[in-house]
C-alpha cells in the first residue's frame, strides 16, 4: 500500500457512502473536491474535514448534466494541480414493480446511475490520459449481480455500471486503474426515495441488516491506497449476516 496523498473528486458526497468516503480519504491525507446538489451539507462536511486537519473543498454538482460534471473534474485539477481519483458514487434507488409504469422514475434512475457514471468517466479520461495516470472508482451494488422484484430498473443500471467498468478496464491499458465497488445493504438515504408502498415496506425487511457506510468507505480507501502497478478491479462488500 501507499500513503502518497492524492487528489480525489467524489460525486454524491453529501450523505451515505460518499460522505463516509470523504471522511475516510481526508483522514488518510488525500485532498478532496466534494460534489452533490445539497450544498449546505457539503459546506458542513468540508468545514468538519478542515477542522480535523484535512483538505477539502466543495462544488454544487448535478451528475445528469455532462457539462457540470466536466466543470467539477476540471475544478479539482485547477484547485490542486491534478486529478488522481474520481469516485462516481452518486446514485438513486426508486423501486417499484414494472407494471406501476413509473416511467419518470425509470428515466431519473438511468440518468443518475448510468449517465452520471458515463459523464464522470468522460470528464476524467482526458485529464488522466494527459497525466499518464489516474484511477476511476465506480460504485455499483450487489444489484449488479442479481435482480429482485421491484428492482428491475435499478438492477439494470447497476449491471450497466459493472459492464462499463469492465469495458473501461480492458481499454485503459494499465495507465488508468478501474475499480468497481458493489455494496450490499448499506446505511444510507437511498431507500428514502421509494414511493411505491409495497416496495417501501419490502425494503424495510431487506434492510434490517445493513453495513455502516464507513465499511464501504474502507473498501474504497483500500483500492485507492494500492501502488500504481496494482489494480483492484472488483470489491463486493456485504453484511456478514446477510443472505443477499
Amino acid at each position: 500500500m501507499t500513503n502518497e496523498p492524492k487528489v480525489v473528486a467524489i460525486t454524491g458526497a453529501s450523505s451515505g457512502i460518499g460522505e463516509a468516503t470523504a471522511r475516510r480519504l481526508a483522514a488518510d491525507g488525500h485532498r478532496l473536491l466534494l460534489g452533490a446538489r445539497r450544498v449546505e451539507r457539503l459546506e458542513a462536511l468540508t468545514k468538519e474535514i478542515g477542522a480535523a486537519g484535512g483538505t477539502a473543498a466543495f462544488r454544487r454538482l448535478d451528475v445528469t448534466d455532462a457539462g457540470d460534471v466536466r466543470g467539477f473534474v476540471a475544478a479539482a485539477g485547477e484547485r490542486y494541480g491534478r486529478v488522481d481519483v474520481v469516485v462516481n458514487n452518486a446514485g438513486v434507488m426508486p423501486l417499484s414493480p414494472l407494471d406501476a409504469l413509473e416511467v419518470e422514475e425509470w428515466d431519473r434512475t438511468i440518468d443518475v446511475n448510468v449517465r452520471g457514471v458515463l459523464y464522470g468517466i468522460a470528464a476524467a479520461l482526458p485529464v488522466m490520459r494527459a497525466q499518464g495516470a489516474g484511477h476511476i472508482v465506480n460504485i455499483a451494488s450487489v444489484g449488479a449481480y442479481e435482480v429482485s422484484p421491484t428492482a428491475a430498473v435499478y438492477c439494470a443500471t447497476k449491471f450497466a455500471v459493472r459492464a462499463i467498468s469492465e469495458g473501461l478496464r480492458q481499454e485503459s491499458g494499465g495507465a488508468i486503474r478501474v475499480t468497481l465497488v458493489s455494496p450490499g445493504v448499506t446505511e444510507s438515504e437511498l431507500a428514502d426515495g421509494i414511493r411505491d408502498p409495497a416496495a417501501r415496506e419490502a425494503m424495510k425487511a431487506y434492510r434490517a441488516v445493513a453495513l455502516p457506510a464507513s465499511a464501504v468507505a474502507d473498501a474504497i480507501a483500500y483500492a485507492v491506497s494500492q501502488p500504481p502497478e496494482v489494480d483492484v478491479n472488483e470489491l463486493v462488500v456485504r453484511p456478514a449476516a446477510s443472505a443477499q
Side-chain angles (χ1 to χ4, degrees):
M1 294 188 182
T2 176
N3 293 320
E4 179 184 350
K6 295 178 180 178
V7 175
V8 185
I10 305 173
T11 74
S14 61
S15 66
I17 292 170
E19 179 183 354
T21 300
R23 294 180 193 279
R24 171 59 198 271
L25 294 184
D28 287 349
H30 302 298
R31 296 173 290 170
L32 312 180
L33 182 64
L34 310 179
R37 291 179 301 160
R38 293 179 291 187
V39 176
E40 69 287 349
R41 290 196 177 190
L42 294 178
E43 183 176 14
L45 178 58
T46 299
K47 288 180 178 178
E48 184 179 332
I49 288 172
T55 302
F58 69 91
R59 177 185 169 112
R60 188 188 185 280
L61 174 64
D62 178 357
V63 298
T64 69
D65 182 329
D68 203 16
V69 181
R70 282 196 302 271
F72 174 68
V73 173
E78 290 165 6
R79 185 176 189 90
Y80 299 118
R82 60 183 294 112
V83 182
D84 297 300
V85 184
V86 171
V87 181
N88 289 311
N89 166 71
V92 294
M93 191 181 68
L95 307 184
S96 63
L98 289 171
D99 64 8
L101 302 180
E102 294 282 3
V103 176
E104 290 185 2
E105 285 192 348
W106 300 348
D107 288 343
R108 175 66 177 166
T109 305
I110 292 167
D111 285 346
V112 175
N113 293 2
V114 181
R115 288 193 176 92
V117 168
L118 286 170
Y119 292 161
I121 292 169
L125 278 179
V127 176
M128 293 178 177
R129 290 290 187 203
Q131 293 172 169
H135 191 172
I136 294 175
V137 179
N138 295 329
I139 308 305
S141 163
V142 291
Y145 303 86
E146 59 190 18
V147 181
S148 56
T150 76
V153 175
Y154 173 75
C155 291
T157 65
K158 295 305 183 177
F159 269 77
V161 171
R162 183 182 171 202
I164 291 164
S165 301
E166 175 59 12
L168 179 60
R169 183 194 69 78
Q170 293 181 24
E171 295 172 7
S172 71
I176 297 172
R177 299 189 295 171
V178 182
T179 299
L180 179 74
V181 179
S182 296
V185 179
T186 305
E187 295 170 358
S188 73
E189 298 176 359
L190 266 183
D192 295 349
I194 301 173
R195 297 187 302 176
D196 183 85
R200 178 182 281 273
E201 192 61 30
M203 190 51 53
K204 289 180 181 178
Y206 185 83
R207 297 178 68 83
V209 178
L211 289 167
S214 60
V216 184
D218 290 343
I220 295 168
Y222 167 77
V224 168
S225 71
Q226 299 305 304
E229 67 274 14
V230 178
D231 190 1
V232 178
N233 301 142
E234 293 191 35
L235 290 169
V236 179
V237 187
R238 290 183 172 95
S242 174
Q244 282 79 22

